[in-house]
Amino acid sequence: MDDEKRMKHFAHVTQAHPCFNEKIHDKVGRIHIPIAPSCNIQCGFCTRKLDGKENRPGVASCVMTVDQALEHIRETTSKMPISVVGVAGPGDSLCNSGTLELFRRVREEFPDLILCMSTNGLLLPRYAEEIAEVGVKTVTVTVNAVDPEIGAQIYDDIEYDGEVYHGIDGFNILLENQLKGIEMLSNLGVIVKVNSVLIPGVNDKHIVEIARVVKSKGASIMNVLPLIPLNKFKDVERPGCGMLSTVREEVEEYLPVFRACTQCRADAFGIPGKKNQDFSLEMVPNSHY
């Protein structure tokens, strides 16, 4: 898909997606379905947690079955304006078989909802065609480096085809699949957003290069997220507004930047960041999930 067609497609699909369009971010809702507990990589800043009350990615109060997820969608859409159903963890979407099954069933029952998913990208080339076939319109791929020396500092373990890889060897496998997957999805008409976690002293000078590379593969928009200090980066200071703003401005030389992300939980639902209208399953009294 050429750039002109990609941008027209982007404008059409994302007009109702609160995580791709800042103008409607506080007006329409999304549902994150916590159906994907397993992950095939270990990021240095990631700590996955169930039953945690922390408001951040990688946290959910439970893991749903497909049937439970559909019931949750039915109940939620009957109570509030929802435009998007997404899978964002608490592990990796493509490392869990229920993700694509859920999307097939949601498309059948709720054809007007936009289907969305987030992934680390390791398995994207394997599933890109199926992702498009089940009706997923937008995919967010987290790419934190395109330089092996930097990537090896961020990722500890890469589990791929039954083997565990470390350091540069592992990162090279991940990066190759991320970039190939982004290109495949883009060519299939799926809109790709790239998330990059800004880690001061590690990749803060490098994110603009990520933007240049992923644009060349067909990404349409980028989201630069401040590090939440956890795991081996727990002692790294969260980047301030000045650093974040500078990096985002550099990225905008290549791609539009989404600036309204609230870094929400894997079981969030409702209108992002809006008081009394943004929820997680932990906040639902007597939740049976």
Side-chain angles (χ1 to χ4, degrees), residues 19-276:
C19 301
F20 281 68
N21 186 340
E22 293 175 15
K23 293 181 180 179
I24 62 165
H25 187 257
D26 61 349
K27 296 179 176 62
V28 298
R30 76 331 188 188
I31 305 177
H32 285 175
I33 302 298
I35 200 171
S38 299
C39 195
N40 43 19
I41 72 174
Q42 180 57 61
C43 302
F45 53 77
C46 181
T47 302
R48 296 183 296 279
K49 183 183 292 187
L50 291 180
D51 296 320
K53 297 182 184 296
E54 299 168 72
N55 189 19
R56 62 170 177 83
V59 174
S61 62
C62 67
V63 174
M64 289 181 169
T65 65
V66 173
D67 287 338
Q68 288 172 335
L70 288 166
E71 182 57 35
H72 178 44
I73 295 168
R74 294 183 193 110
E75 182 178 352
T76 304
T77 54
S78 72
K79 296 178 179 178
M80 62 184 72
I82 297 293
S83 64
V84 176
V85 170
V87 176
D92 184 72
S93 298
L94 292 177
C95 194
N96 296 266
S97 61
T99 297
L100 295 179
E101 178 188 351
L102 172 67
F103 285 141
R104 290 182 190 278
R105 294 181 61 180
V106 172
R107 185 178 63 171
E108 292 173 1
E109 187 171 344
F110 304 92
D112 294 332
L113 291 178
I114 296 171
L115 304 182
C116 177
M117 60 174 286
S118 298
T119 177
N120 58 44
L122 182 62
L123 297 179
L124 265 183
R126 189 171 300 172
Y127 290 108
E129 291 186 359
E130 189 174 357
I131 288 168
E133 186 268 324
V134 301
V136 173
K137 298 298 184 184
T138 62
V139 173
T140 296
V141 185
T142 299
V143 182
N144 295 313
V146 292
D147 180 318
E149 296 289 341
I150 296 173
Q153 297 177 56
I154 298 172
Y155 299 97
D156 295 329
D157 303 315
I158 307 293
E159 184 177 347
Y160 186 66
D161 285 345
E163 299 287 339
V164 178
Y165 301 87
H166 308 283
I168 289 177
D169 289 342
F171 176 75
N172 282 337
I173 294 171
L174 174 63
L175 180 62
E176 180 181 357
N177 286 358
Q178 287 175 331
L179 298 182
K180 183 177 180 181
I182 290 169
E183 187 170 35
M184 290 176 68
L185 287 175
S186 178
N187 289 337
L188 289 164
V190 178
I191 295 166
V192 177
K193 177 176 74 175
V194 167
N195 278 3
S196 294
V197 177
L198 173 57
I199 309 171
V202 178
N203 69 352
D204 50 302
K205 307 294 186 184
H206 176 62
I207 288 181
V208 65
E209 178 64 9
I210 299 174
R212 185 190 69 78
V213 172
V214 298
K215 179 183 180 180
S216 74
K217 300 299 180 180
S220 295
I221 188 170
M222 198 156 164
N223 181 18
V224 181
L225 304 167
L227 171 74
I228 299 174
L230 292 167
N231 202 353
K232 75 177 186 181
F233 292 117
K234 66 182 185 298
D235 296 323
V236 175
E237 186 175 354
R238 185 179 173 95
C241 293
M243 177 183 288
L244 194 59
S245 178
T246 296
V247 172
R248 285 170 170 171
E249 289 174 3
E250 292 172 347
V251 167
E252 282 180 323
E253 296 179 16
Y254 295 97
L255 285 170
V257 174
F258 183 76
R259 296 172 182 263
C261 179
T262 56
Q263 292 180 281
C264 52
R265 288 165 53 114
D267 62 357
F269 63 98
I271 299 177
K274 196 159 188 179
K275 188 175 181 180
N276 299 322

